[in-house]
Amino acid sequence: MSEQSLPDDARPEYADALPEYAERVLDVTELIPPGRVMTYGDVAEYVGEGGPRQVGRVMSLYGGGVPWWRVVRADGVLLAGHELEALGRYREEGTPLREAGRTAEDHLPRLDLKRARWDGGERAQGHI
């Protein structure tokens, strides 16, 4: 993904400066309570800018210092390459999961988004 796909304020002006859009995405990520999740699209909607791909890009570049496992795919599938670490964190936090069915190729559970999804209302003091 190129920088052109990020909102204008997310394009780095200085290599060591965190783009304002990225700061807002990371701030929302830190608001998500343990045991709850938001989809990439949910975060974009909460921030009021960008979309799932832009949030995913921010998380891939800057998300290591925040609870990245709480920002998830809309289908509940665990983040590729980070499945086991994320699964351990979900179990530790009590995040609702749906166990894998017999036909599941990877035998990993999915997130139970109906129960785990957070709408930003419980702890948030307004939009970022």
Side-chain angles (χ1 to χ4, degrees):
M1 177 178 286
S2 70
E3 289 176 5
Q4 284 76 28
S5 63
L6 291 173
D8 289 339
D9 66 348
R11 294 187 190 127
E13 292 179 20
Y14 305 100
D16 60 342
L18 186 64
E20 192 265 336
Y21 179 75
E23 284 185 38
R24 293 185 0 238
V25 167
L26 299 178
D27 287 346
V28 171
T29 302
E30 290 181 323
L31 291 174
I32 304 169
R36 304 298 297 275
V37 298
M38 289 180 95
T39 67
Y40 294 102
D42 292 340
V43 172
E45 185 177 331
Y46 192 88
V47 168
E49 185 177 3
R53 290 178 188 245
Q54 289 77 18
V55 171
R57 180 69 173 162
V58 167
M59 295 303 293
S60 72
L61 292 174
Y62 308 108
V66 298
W68 54 266
W69 59 93
R70 296 182 192 152
V71 180
V72 302
R73 291 173 40 151
D75 63 4
V77 171
L78 306 186
L79 182 62
H82 301 279
E83 300 96 331
L84 296 179
E85 183 179 355
L87 184 57
R89 292 181 185 268
Y90 297 139
R91 287 186 170 145
E92 182 179 304
E93 293 183 354
T95 307
L97 299 169
R98 291 181 22 224
E99 290 304 319
R102 291 180 154 196
T103 59
E105 199 172 294
D106 55 10
H107 302 290
L108 289 172
R110 289 184 181 210
L111 291 155
D112 184 343
L113 289 177
K114 286 184 180 181
R115 295 181 12 216
R117 202 172 207 164
W118 185 63
D119 67 3
E122 296 166 15
R123 276 183 32 191
Q125 299 296 323
H127 290 282
I128 302 283

